[in-house]
Amino acid sequence: MSDLHTVNKSPFEKNSLESCLRLSKAGSAILLYEDGVYGALKGTAVENMIASVVADKKVYVLGPDYKARGLDESRIIDGVEVVDYAGFVDLVEANDKVQAWV
Amino acid sequence: MPIEVDGKTLETDEEGYLVNLNDWVPGVAEVMAKEDDLELTDDHWDIINFLREYYEEYQIAPAVRVLTKAVGKRLGKEKGNSKYLYGLFPYGPGKQACRYAGLPKPTGCV
Amino acid sequence: MSDTKNFMFLNRRAPYGTIYAWESLEVVLIAAAFEQNVSLMFVDDGVYELTKGQDTTGIGMKNFSPTYRTLGDYEVRHMYVDKASLEARGLTADDLVQVEWEDWETEESVDNIVEVVDSDRVAELLEESDVVFSF
């Protein structure tokens, strides 16, 4: 089993995403929501943070938050999966605990 | 205080604005106008309809100045002034017309 | 017109995650009533405020992005976007809303007052302002 890590801050404003990726183990699930969703976008200065971990950590982005911000799903980094609220709940259930990087 | 429109009870805030924007039907304006002893004419409806379209597009109630300018542009220069609009809505075109149109009070309106 | 000041609203936060973007917009709408020269500057995550196609139905919050498009009616004459902030976020001017401006008396008009500017210009514009409101 593994942990679900959540990140809800913009990677440009806080280092929550960076610390989460640095301090979570391989096999972890990582969910980006609220302003955290900006980290899932292709072509940004921080794209490599997510792109370099998708091989050994499963990264998810919360669809409603992504959509609210006017971002198109075609711009999400390859390997990142979009989930809805029910998917969020499933992730919580499927993991040992939730660790929030606020 | 709630108002009765078309047999339905609609909730309003302490200043008489609809609490739920989606509750609006033309009858809302009619009922509110009646309470103010005002008879709605086509000229009133031009303003009410404009306000609803503006809100639909921009998601805010326009400031009186913006409303005045827009009315002048849309409905003719002779109508784009506060004298004309206050003539229609004596309690203030921002406050009263927005209330009839089911919109919130314009930002910055006291 | 010596009473007219140049007001600059400096926006550096993404919409929805915090209340800053919406509060700034509300103050801009009120400030326009005082007939000052109002300009907006979007820097850092503030550039996200202007993205097209925002749809908040899924998060139960008011979508205030359409409101930016009426700012020309509120006599906001300039909306500047920091190019470096935009590029760092993988965005271009095409991803942003367009805001029309028209002088109702002279009918002079500008199709889009949203302008992407470089860092030197941002610094210059901030320095030229009489008052900078930070959000």
Side-chain angles (χ1 to χ4, degrees):
Chain A
M1 285 290 272
S2 58
D3 284 351
L4 171 65
H5 297 259
T6 63
V7 177
N8 71 339
K9 297 296 186 295
S10 162
F12 299 100
E13 202 185 346
K14 287 192 82 178
N15 61 357
S16 306
L17 178 62
E18 191 186 347
S19 298
C20 166
L21 298 176
R22 182 166 60 89
L23 302 171
S24 56
K25 296 184 71 171
S28 295
I30 293 159
L31 175 76
L32 310 177
Y33 74 107
E34 294 177 357
D35 286 347
V37 301
Y38 291 121
L41 195 68
K42 274 184 199 166
T44 74
V46 300
E47 176 182 17
N48 198 44
M49 285 208 293
I50 293 291
S52 64
V53 302
V54 289
D56 56 20
K57 292 170 192 176
K58 188 67 199 152
V59 183
Y60 303 88
V61 59
L62 191 61
D65 281 328
Y66 196 78
K67 229 177 145 183
R69 287 158 178 78
L71 309 171
D72 194 89
E73 285 197 11
S74 65
R75 302 172 84 153
I76 293 179
I77 294 168
D78 295 335
V80 174
E81 192 181 322
V82 180
V83 294
D84 58 11
Y85 291 115
F88 191 164
V89 175
D90 290 343
L91 284 171
V92 172
E93 209 170 49
N95 286 279
D96 293 321
K97 66 176 187 296
V98 179
Q99 184 172 332
W101 298 84
V102 292
Chain B
M1 212 180 78
I3 55 169
E4 292 284 333
V5 180
D6 301 343
K8 278 188 199 153
T9 305
L10 308 177
E11 208 184 331
T12 61
D13 67 14
E14 70 272 13
E15 291 180 285
Y17 292 81
L18 279 190
V19 170
N20 187 349
L21 272 54
N22 296 326
D23 282 347
W24 192 86
V25 286
V28 168
E30 303 281 4
V31 169
M32 287 179 174
K34 202 166 184 185
E35 281 175 7
D36 292 339
D37 278 328
L38 187 75
E39 189 159 344
L40 294 182
T41 63
D42 287 350
D43 288 338
H44 292 97
W45 280 107
D46 282 344
I47 306 301
I48 292 168
N49 290 331
F50 169 78
L51 284 169
R52 291 196 56 82
E53 283 165 31
Y54 182 91
Y55 190 87
E56 180 68 27
E57 186 163 0
Y58 301 119
Q59 298 296 304
I60 52 165
V64 177
R65 212 158 49 94
V66 174
L67 172 66
T68 309
K69 285 197 298 186
V71 166
K73 202 183 170 201
R74 280 258 219 127
L75 308 173
K77 278 227 156 77
E78 72 285 359
K79 297 182 175 178
N81 58 74
S82 47
K83 197 177 166 213
Y84 173 79
L85 290 171
Y86 273 90
L88 290 175
F89 298 99
Y91 294 104
K95 282 189 206 175
Q96 194 177 9
C98 285
R99 190 161 55 82
Y100 291 2
L103 309 188
K105 200 159 83 168
T107 301
C109 196
V110 285
Chain C
M1 293 297 279
S2 60
D3 288 345
T4 307
K5 284 191 159 38
N6 293 316
F7 284 9
M8 178 65 86
F9 287 80
L10 176 58
N11 300 283
R12 296 183 49 247
R13 302 295 192 101
Y16 311 119
T18 62
I19 197 73
Y20 290 91
W22 170 242
E23 299 243 299
S24 173
L25 188 51
E26 284 209 298
V27 178
V28 168
L29 294 172
I30 294 166
F34 295 99
E35 308 206 359
Q36 305 292 325
N37 295 326
V38 176
S39 299
L40 278 62
M41 176 71 75
F42 297 86
V43 172
D44 297 332
D45 278 356
V47 302
Y48 286 135
E49 295 177 26
L50 298 181
T51 55
K52 278 194 282 208
Q54 295 179 24
D55 176 3
T56 59
T57 45
I59 63 169
M61 292 175 78
K62 184 187 169 79
N63 178 1
F64 54 86
S65 65
T67 306
Y68 292 101
R69 293 192 292 101
T70 191
L71 291 180
D73 302 321
Y74 281 76
E75 283 164 30
V76 170
R77 194 61 185 77
H78 297 283
M79 293 170 66
Y80 302 103
V81 180
D82 173 42
K83 189 166 183 242
S85 301
L86 203 58
E87 282 176 355
R89 285 158 186 78
L91 301 174
T92 67
D94 289 342
D95 294 310
L96 308 179
V97 293
Q98 296 204 350
V99 181
E100 274 177 60
W101 177 88
E102 185 184 350
D103 186 311
W104 303 60
E105 263 145 43
T106 63
E107 295 193 357
E108 176 200 350
S109 67
V110 179
D111 288 345
N112 187 14
I113 60 169
V114 178
E115 187 186 343
V116 178
V117 293
D118 66 21
S119 305
D120 288 345
R121 184 79 181 121
V122 173
E124 200 174 271
L125 288 161
L126 291 174
E127 200 176 72
E128 280 171 8
S129 304
D130 295 310
V131 191
V132 177
F133 296 95
S134 298
F135 290 89

